[in-house]
Amino acid sequence: MNGLVNRHILLGVTGGIAAYKAAELVRLLRRAGAEVRVVMTRGATEFVTPLTFQALSGHAVRSELFDAVAEAGMDHIELARWAELVLVAPASADFLARLAVGRADDLLATLCLASAAPIALAPAMNQQMWQAPATQENVRRLTARGIRLFGPGCGEQACGEVGPGRMLEPAELARLAGELFASGPLSGVRALVTAGPTREAIDPVRFIGNRSSGKMGFAVAAALAAAGAEVVLVAGPVALPTPPGVRRVDVESAAEMLAAVEQEQFELLVAAAAVADYRPATAEHAKIKKERAAIALELTRNPDILATISAARPAVFTVGFAAETDELERYARGKLAQKGLDMIAANWVGAGRGFEAESNALQVFWADGGTSLDEAPKSDLARQLVALVAGRYAASGKKSKG
Ligand code: PMT
């Protein structure tokens, strides 16, 4: 929790029974050295009085947007600028919905829009409300914008039901808030990760794809964010949640992936996506009928995203992946040299290996060396890979040029 010393935390409290736990959270954040200012929604004041938070935070609590007296002191824009973290705990289903659509219909929602600080939400609601498709859709939209979710936890709820939707305990929330400020080896570095498969259209309903689940790339994005990097994840079609603190851009084809990557600025590129090397030369506009006994598909080469960036932006530190079924080191080193990469992480694929699996093993190569990372869950392996990348990036002449 050391990262909290002298940090400015704007704690938003919304209406829910877990609001009483936010009082303990204020105490813990302050004990860890943070300065805390509390903003309550009207609903929150039905559960706990502003006076409680005023006594604990040492500052007047605000809940109204149009409050002439409060605005004469630190107005809401100043408050938004003051915050280094906006932490909303508890965050109700209604608040998630309002934030997802960008409403500014009360002080807290307005501050979330007006602040450039990272936002973390600690959801707290009935398990059915948490699992409702509308809430889940809102959560996806929010996390895709880089908003962090702290929890929710799972267990017995105030309403007597059991399931996901409990607010995390105050000590856990304070720990997670502290982690956000802890500086990692890649803090200040902008990283871009490609992940998942691409789909190349044959006609409006069919495509050429591959077995990539996105797990490896998403794990790398999460590990980079945990190491302090500012991460953009360009993802093909996968069924995975966005890792906390990562901004996600969804694409479908290789051409879309290249266009999305080219729009971003970054110093570090990790290409874990299984990009289709070929696409149908023409995608039919109407569904192909099964009138002929056989049809031939003409395929044309897709652009190589990694090689394109490596050639066009020599200052970017580039890390490729190599998926091989034979002669792993020879082919991986070939790709390292041909694509002008700084590092390449090679994995065996096929027969349940690499693609889709929960665990993986990597052999990592660079021009004058290499190392092996033994089989481990993809999240562990990604952390080891990122530590290796961070070390080599720091030692590279590229660090200051990006
Ligand atoms: O997604 P999972 O199910 O977790 O599986 C993980 C994985 C096996 C997909 C992953 O670990 C992996 O190996 N990703 C790279 C797959 C691949 O396409 O490898 P390749 O050897 O064909 O390509 C070499 C490199 O060039 C890769 O970094 C690739 O992203 C990149 N490339 C390839 C073709 C292309 N048109 N553009 C590219 O950027």
Side-chain angles (χ1 to χ4, degrees):
M1 246 192 267
N2 287 344
L4 288 169
V5 177
N6 294 331
R7 294 297 183 176
H8 292 177
I9 298 186
L10 180 66
L11 178 66
V13 184
T14 73
I17 184 62
Y20 81 91
K21 289 190 179 178
E24 171 68 359
L25 178 57
V26 176
R27 210 180 58 77
L28 292 176
L29 291 171
R30 289 200 68 195
R31 199 167 68 185
E35 197 179 325
V36 183
R37 287 176 186 258
V38 179
V39 171
M40 301 174 78
T41 62
R42 249 179 238 174
T45 61
E46 300 287 337
F47 290 89
V48 188
T49 69
L51 203 56
T52 304
F53 288 108
Q54 178 174 317
L56 289 168
S57 69
H59 294 285
V61 171
R62 290 201 54 183
S63 55
E64 297 298 328
L65 182 54
F66 303 109
D67 178 335
V69 178
E71 287 287 304
M74 185 189 267
D75 73 26
H76 68 277
I77 296 297
E78 243 181 287
L79 187 56
R81 287 195 195 121
W82 171 88
E84 292 177 281
L85 169 67
V86 180
L87 170 60
V88 183
S92 64
D94 175 65
F95 188 74
L96 299 185
R98 288 193 287 125
L99 202 57
V101 292
R103 295 293 299 264
D105 52 354
D106 70 1
L107 178 63
L108 184 57
T110 304
L111 287 166
C112 287
L113 284 183
S115 180
I119 299 175
L121 308 172
M125 66 198 74
N126 162 270
Q127 54 90 19
Q128 199 63 46
M129 289 174 79
W130 170 253
Q131 293 178 89
T135 304
Q136 288 304 307
E137 172 77 41
N138 291 332
V139 164
R140 273 191 294 278
R141 287 169 78 174
L142 292 166
T143 53
R145 280 181 218 154
I147 290 178
R148 287 149 169 95
L149 276 198
F150 289 174
C154 198
E156 200 175 318
Q157 303 198 300
C159 55
E161 295 180 15
V162 176
R166 270 173 71 97
M167 189 172 89
L168 294 185
E169 292 304 317
E172 178 65 359
L173 292 175
R175 188 188 66 74
L176 290 168
E179 258 183 28
L180 287 184
F181 291 110
S183 54
L186 290 174
S187 66
V189 176
R190 291 172 299 178
L192 187 141
V193 179
T194 66
T198 63
R199 286 182 181 175
E200 310 300 324
I202 297 171
D203 70 13
V205 295
R206 303 180 179 97
F207 58 83
I208 297 175
N210 62 64
R211 295 184 184 281
S212 171
S213 63
K215 286 176 199 161
M216 192 70 238
F218 275 53
V220 169
L224 286 166
E230 198 181 303
V231 186
V232 178
L233 173 61
V234 179
V238 295
L240 293 174
T242 311
V246 167
R247 180 161 64 84
R248 172 172 173 179
V249 180
D250 286 314
V251 296
E252 195 159 299
S253 64
E256 283 174 21
M257 188 172 273
L258 175 61
V261 171
E262 282 182 324
Q263 280 201 1
E264 303 289 339
Q265 294 304 316
F266 45 88
E267 289 85 43
L268 172 61
L269 169 65
V270 183
V275 185
D277 290 319
Y278 293 92
R279 67 177 183 279
T282 48
E284 298 296 333
H285 293 296
K287 186 181 166 198
I288 300 170
K289 299 286 174 207
K290 58 170 181 182
E291 282 153 0
R292 282 169 286 162
I295 56 169
L297 266 186
E298 190 192 337
L299 300 179
T300 187
R301 272 275 279 278
N302 265 333
D304 189 301
I305 299 164
L306 181 55
T308 304
I309 297 297
S310 159
R313 305 190 199 180
V316 170
F317 190 90
T318 46
V319 183
F321 268 74
E324 308 298 346
T325 52
D326 57 338
E327 295 201 57
L328 183 112
E329 176 160 0
R330 188 162 78 84
Y331 287 132
R333 283 203 177 277
K335 289 172 186 174
L336 179 77
Q338 281 151 23
K339 301 191 190 203
L341 309 178
D342 293 288
M343 294 173 78
I344 195 156
N347 45 193
W348 292 105
V349 294
R353 292 195 293 184
F355 285 88
E356 294 173 307
E358 292 302 325
S359 63
N360 201 6
L362 294 172
Q363 287 187 42
V364 189
F365 305 107
W366 49 92
D368 55 358
T371 190
S372 293
L373 302 179
D374 291 343
E375 169 133 15
K378 284 179 176 171
S379 52
D380 292 352
L381 199 62
R383 274 193 289 275
Q384 294 176 51
L385 177 64
V386 164
L388 205 56
V389 168
R392 296 204 59 78
Y393 173 65
S396 77
K398 294 187 172 181
K399 186 166 169 24
S400 50
K401 293 186 197 154

